[in-house]
Amino acid sequence: MDGNNLRGVDKFDLHQRRQTETSSPLHQIKMSSVFYTHSTMKQPWGIKMPSIPSSTMFHLILNGEAIVSVYGARITLGPGDFILLPRGTGHEIVDVNNTPAIDLFENNLEKVTEHYERLTTSGSGDITTTLCGTVLFDNDITTSIISSMPNYILITAQSDARQTIESVVQAIQRETIHEDYGAGLIVSRLADVLILQCIRAWINDVSEENQNWIMAHTDKRLSRAMKKIHGDPATNIDIESLARLSGMSRTSFIEYFKKTVGQTPKKYITDWRLSLARERLSHSREHVLNIALEVGYQSEAAFSRAYKAKYGESPSHTKKIGYLKAQA
């Protein structure tokens, strides 16, 4: 094959790749606004963040340390670590001494611009500095995709994605501080990039075994079923009800779901619940039975069997390793 034909193949491959990317639900993720806080906190300090619907929240640790508590999990963060809470869940961020958290608005907040503020605490101890943000969205596809993400995404300072994410966060900070012409539009586009980078890092690091799940969120026949699956992992979900939501027979639904997602509905639901459980076990002090119930299992024994079959270790072992890492 000569050089001209090779270039033609390259162009065709590029065209195909671009078509795939633009048809992906990720292409339809749109963030509408960002509220940004630069925090300088001297020990002792602890902040209780309110729940904000239709939003994602994030914290980037510039220096010092912090502990984020969400859904029973406690995640220790150091310099360069970034945590995203996809669904705007209320949570606490406190110092390493576990100082009791007080409401965000009871702290010293200085409004700098419409979308930017500074927070300082009155302590005199070691300092932790963070860049934190709340990203708002009102797009149905964005809402659907966000609903299927875990309670939080942790991107450590060692992650390949960290440098890019930190650069985007700091670019958002610059725009929100100065608010020059077009700043609102630029910030919303930067927020799109930030969330997409986090989703990509999560997919690459956590969900390699099945990335087709995201396509189901815009599939007209499966989107309602996906919303049901991800709405409450503790709820009893039967295949018949999912089939009815999708307007198909049970057999047709199973075949169509497997063709689209790459797994049967039963395996997809099981994998989703167990991945949530693994996250909780790694960072939570909750009892194994409580976590099992929260992800839809009726007994610790059934949960343990399914968990070991998937991950090759018991839930208690995962919990122990998570505890040892937190103490290190």
Side-chain angles (χ1 to χ4, degrees), residues 157-207:
Q158 291 72 44
S159 169
D160 293 339
R162 195 274 306 172
Q163 187 173 359
T164 300
I165 286 172
E166 183 174 348
S167 297
V168 175
V169 169
Q170 291 177 338
I172 292 173
Q173 181 192 27
R174 289 192 294 271
E175 291 295 331
T176 52
I177 290 174
H178 300 297
E179 293 206 333
D180 292 333
Y181 177 76
L185 179 61
I186 291 171
V187 165
S188 67
R189 295 295 183 269
L190 287 170
D192 292 348
V193 173
L194 175 65
I195 302 305
L196 286 168
Q197 286 286 347
C198 291
I199 291 174
R200 183 168 71 177
W202 170 55
I203 290 174
N204 289 341
D205 294 344
V206 182
S207 303

Side-chain angles (χ1 to χ4, degrees), residues 246-293:
S246 304
M248 289 183 269
S249 69
R250 186 179 190 278
T251 301
S252 296
F253 172 74
I254 292 172
E255 290 176 354
Y256 188 78
F257 191 101
K258 185 175 181 180
K259 178 182 177 182
T260 304
V261 180
Q263 294 176 292
T264 64
K266 183 177 180 180
K267 188 174 190 311
Y268 179 86
I269 294 167
T270 298
D271 285 354
W272 164 243
R273 286 172 164 171
L274 291 176
S275 67
L276 290 178
R278 189 170 181 82
E279 173 190 302
R280 298 287 287 274
L281 288 164
S282 298
H283 299 283
S284 171
R285 296 179 183 176
E286 287 183 273
H287 191 278
V288 171
L289 176 59
N290 290 341
I291 294 174
L293 295 172

Side-chain angles (χ1 to χ4, degrees), residues 212-244:
N212 293 329
W213 61 271
I214 203 164
M215 297 302 297
H217 288 279
T218 49
D219 187 285
K220 292 181 179 179
R221 305 182 76 181
L222 294 182
S223 59
R224 294 177 67 190
M226 295 298 285
K227 184 176 180 180
K228 173 74 172 177
I229 291 169
H230 293 287
D232 182 0
T235 301
N236 180 37
I237 302 173
D238 61 273
I239 305 303
E240 286 76 10
S241 65
L242 295 177
R244 286 195 296 272

Side-chain angles (χ1 to χ4, degrees), residues 6 10 15 22 52 63 65 77 86-87 102 142 145 182 184 204 207-209 223 245 258 263 276 285 319 321 325:
L6 282 173
D10 290 342
H15 176 69
T22 56
I52 302 179
N63 57 65
E65 295 179 293
L77 306 174
R87 292 182 291 281
I102 63 173
T142 303
I145 292 171
N204 289 341
S207 303
E208 289 181 345
E209 56 192 60
S223 59
L245 280 173
K258 185 175 181 180
Q263 294 176 292
L276 290 178
R285 296 179 183 176
K319 190 174 178 65
I321 296 300
K325 286 182 178 178

